[in-house]
Amino acid sequence: MYAIIETGGKQYNVKEGDFIYIERLPLEEESQVIFDKVVAIGKDESISVGSPYLSSATVKGKLIKNGKAKKITVFTYKPKKDTKRKLGHRQLYTKVEIVSISI
């Protein structure tokens, strides 16, 4: 059984036992997360698709940790103008383990 959930403006294909990295959630570690924006649920050969979401479906997860990704360097310049800018960015994330999928 798998589900397609929406969180943080993105969609994720998840199964029970999966670990996913999503946009940071303002919750404590080891707390329970419930995703109610379920776009679709598939089981064996059948699939249920919502419009836009399935009202009776939920996906439960356990928040493992909050953290920051590796630093990326953003360098912009304009040739022949002596203009340049160097920036760094570390994206905040939340690691979640999918515990159950229910209809």
Side-chain angles (χ1 to χ4, degrees):
M1 181 182 235
Y2 67 94
I4 299 173
I5 61 171
E6 183 177 320
T7 179
K10 301 176 185 74
Q11 293 180 353
Y12 299 91
N13 187 355
V14 297
K15 292 182 260 187
E16 289 184 11
D18 282 355
F19 291 93
I20 59 172
Y21 293 90
I22 61 176
E23 296 289 324
R24 186 162 197 158
L25 298 175
L27 299 172
E28 297 294 323
E29 294 182 7
E30 302 298 323
S31 62
Q32 185 177 10
V33 181
I34 297 175
F35 301 103
D36 55 352
K37 291 185 176 181
V38 180
V39 178
I41 288 184
K43 188 174 188 181
D44 298 328
E45 295 289 323
S46 65
I47 186 168
S48 300
V49 180
S51 60
Y53 307 114
L54 292 169
S55 60
S56 62
T58 59
V59 175
K60 293 182 182 176
K62 184 171 121 184
L63 194 140
I64 303 297
K65 73 172 188 172
N66 288 320
K68 287 184 176 183
K70 289 186 173 182
K71 183 177 238 184
I72 62 166
T73 303
V74 181
F75 186 77
T76 60
Y77 75 99
K78 294 185 179 177
K80 297 180 247 174
K81 300 294 182 192
D82 195 28
T83 301
K84 55 191 166 206
R85 181 176 67 167
K86 183 177 179 181
L87 297 171
H89 176 73
R90 292 184 72 185
Q91 183 68 38
L92 301 175
Y93 70 86
T94 298
K95 183 178 181 182
V96 177
E97 178 184 7
I98 303 301
V99 177
S100 67
I101 299 171
S102 61
I103 299 174

